[in-house]
Amino acid sequence: MGKIKRIGVMTSGGDSPGMNAAIRSVVRACAYYRAECIGIYRGYQGLIEGDFVSLTARSVNNIINKGGTILKSARSDEFRTKEGRKKAHENLVEHELHALVVIGGDGSFTGGVIFNKEFKFPIIGIPGTIDNDIFGTSHTLGYDTALNTAVEAIDKIRDTASSHNRLFFVEVMGRDAGFIALNAGVGAGAEEILIPEEDLGLKRMLESLKKSRRAGKSSSIVVVAEGDKSGKNVYELAQYVEENLPEYEVRVSVLGHMQRGGAPSCFDRVLASRLGVKAVELLLDNETNLMVGLKNNEVITTSLEEAIKGGHAINMELLRVSDIMTT
Ligand code: ATP
């Protein structure tokens, strides 16, 4: 072990299920390697305000199964300023912290990269966001749980859709990325899936719905990502279909923040445990500016710069499968 003896851990940006499991893993790995672990409340804002707590292996009992984050999360405009980052650095020096584990999304990593450039402060990132939109990992923490939550909700909507012969538009999270929509759509057997990455055209959707009516289907589900490219929000889409296909009785359901909450899936808990251990081990080996992630079920590292810049291609084969399934 080198000069790293006190490691800070924080959760930043949007919360996601599995963040607590990752905090637990970082804390326990620190205890295992006899490093001190300091929790930082409310992400970069807590760093600026010196809102710190000492964490021991016992501080993180019974949190592996909890959604949200015990350290709270925040978005900090102050950290976007040089002055704010200077205050954050002063607090780190004052509390004799030697390195940071940042659990968050690409915004949090961007802040981390800038901070590292300015102060040469060692940082490792753990990808925590339900959107799965980070390059360098096949899965971000919380994505698997969010998918399962969305599928469960759509299953319930299907019950009422089929009882009343209705068409439901279900909006799921994903402003820039269609991972949840595409996978939950296939998993829940949706008729159509609208995602930000691909404009499939409204005509195609109408054709597909007509086709399914002709094929004898009396109810349908269309899954729409928040940021889909149709140019219409989910309510306008529903209205558009009602105007063009009056035979359909259309309803809208927006799943919203429920997709962020709840107990993490086993997959997310295991992923969080693996990534937390690796993050601490990297810091103790004097590595910095890396993100830990998963590829082919192996824990890998990617530079934070690359993780921020790199695109994460959606699996278009899934759209094809979805098409075939609606035959
Ligand atoms: P999610 O994907 O869930 O939205 P995120 O980590 O991308 O998570 P952001 O709100 O984009 O969430 O970023 C979290 C915080 O990171 C910001 O509130 C800000 O404090 C910091 N941050 C983001 N971008 C920058 C930047 N360019 N410079 C400095 N700090 C930044």
Side-chain angles (χ1 to χ4, degrees):
M1 196 158 102
K3 58 183 167 42
I4 308 279
K5 304 232 185 298
R6 275 161 80 83
I7 295 176
V9 58
M10 67 157 82
T11 47
S12 169
D15 65 306
S16 68
M19 280 185 162
N20 276 329
I23 294 167
R24 171 182 178 271
S25 173
V26 169
V27 172
R28 295 257 164 100
C30 282
Y32 180 84
Y33 288 111
R34 306 203 183 291
E36 264 185 84
C37 190
I38 305 294
I40 298 153
Y41 285 113
R42 297 176 292 119
Y44 291 122
Q45 195 53 36
L47 195 57
I48 291 169
E49 293 172 18
D51 199 359
F52 297 173
V53 60
S54 179
L55 296 171
T56 67
R58 295 287 72 78
S59 315
V60 289
N61 286 351
N62 302 321
I63 65 165
I64 192 168
N65 55 334
K66 300 269 191 322
T69 156
I70 58 161
L71 289 176
K72 314 282 180 191
S73 192
R75 305 196 195 264
S76 168
D77 285 336
E78 212 179 335
F79 195 77
R80 292 176 186 272
T81 68
K82 193 150 191 188
E83 216 153 82
R85 294 193 294 273
K86 191 165 161 277
K87 268 198 234 167
H89 185 248
E90 283 162 6
N91 279 328
L92 287 168
V93 173
E94 190 188 323
H95 289 82
E96 293 175 49
L97 276 153
H98 304 134
L100 268 184
V101 176
V102 177
I103 307 166
D106 57 349
S108 303
F109 295 164
T110 305
V113 166
I114 294 170
F115 191 68
N116 176 272
K117 271 204 184 109
E118 286 173 348
F119 300 101
K120 301 276 167 285
F121 200 86
I123 290 182
I124 298 289
I126 297 181
T129 164
I130 62 166
D131 293 334
N132 207 38
D133 56 350
I134 295 183
F135 178 78
T137 187
S138 59
H139 290 76
T140 54
L141 285 184
Y143 167 58
D144 182 69
T145 305
L147 260 187
N148 285 302
T149 302
V151 166
E152 212 177 292
I154 298 168
D155 284 350
K156 288 177 180 159
I157 290 167
R158 177 182 291 285
D159 288 347
T160 181
S162 67
S163 302
H164 292 277
N165 292 346
R166 281 176 182 154
L167 165 64
F168 263 88
F169 278 84
V170 182
E171 186 189 272
V172 298
M173 279 190 167
R175 281 208 186 92
D176 306 305
F179 291 98
I180 294 181
L182 189 51
N183 285 275
V186 171
E191 209 59 49
E192 274 289 316
I193 302 167
L194 305 182
I195 55 174
E197 290 85 351
E198 188 95 334
D199 182 8
L200 298 172
L202 293 174
K203 285 222 170 74
R204 188 198 117 114
M205 181 180 69
L206 289 183
E207 277 316 308
S208 160
L209 290 172
K210 272 189 211 159
K211 197 179 93 190
S212 73
R213 237 322 116 113
R214 281 199 301 269
K217 289 191 186 175
S218 54
S219 64
S220 297
I221 307 271
V222 177
V223 173
V224 186
E226 275 171 309
D228 90 280
K229 285 276 189 308
S230 65
K232 292 186 189 294
N233 69 34
V234 69
Y235 295 99
E236 291 164 346
L237 278 171
Q239 200 184 344
Y240 175 81
V241 169
E242 266 183 336
E243 282 163 10
N244 286 279
L245 301 173
E247 64 271 32
Y248 270 110
E249 192 187 337
V250 188
R251 294 286 184 274
V252 171
S253 183
V254 176
L255 299 190
H257 281 82
M258 60 129 54
Q259 293 161 92
R260 274 193 196 283
S265 64
C266 180
F267 180 91
D268 276 327
R269 298 180 199 193
V270 174
L271 181 63
S273 304
R274 295 176 76 185
L275 297 186
V277 167
K278 184 70 177 175
V280 170
E281 288 175 344
L282 286 166
L283 287 173
L284 295 178
D285 282 342
N286 296 310
E287 296 279 358
T288 180
N289 262 24
L290 297 173
M291 183 194 82
V292 287
L294 196 69
K295 190 178 176 190
N296 300 327
N297 204 25
E298 296 285 331
V299 174
I300 58 155
T301 59
T302 308
S303 83
L304 280 178
E305 270 104 337
E306 250 188 284
I308 297 160
K309 279 190 214 132
H312 190 158
I314 199 122
N315 185 351
M316 288 301 171
E317 191 239 355
L318 273 181
L319 270 183
R320 200 176 67 82
V321 168
S322 165
D323 257 0
I324 293 171
M325 288 304 105
T326 54
T327 301

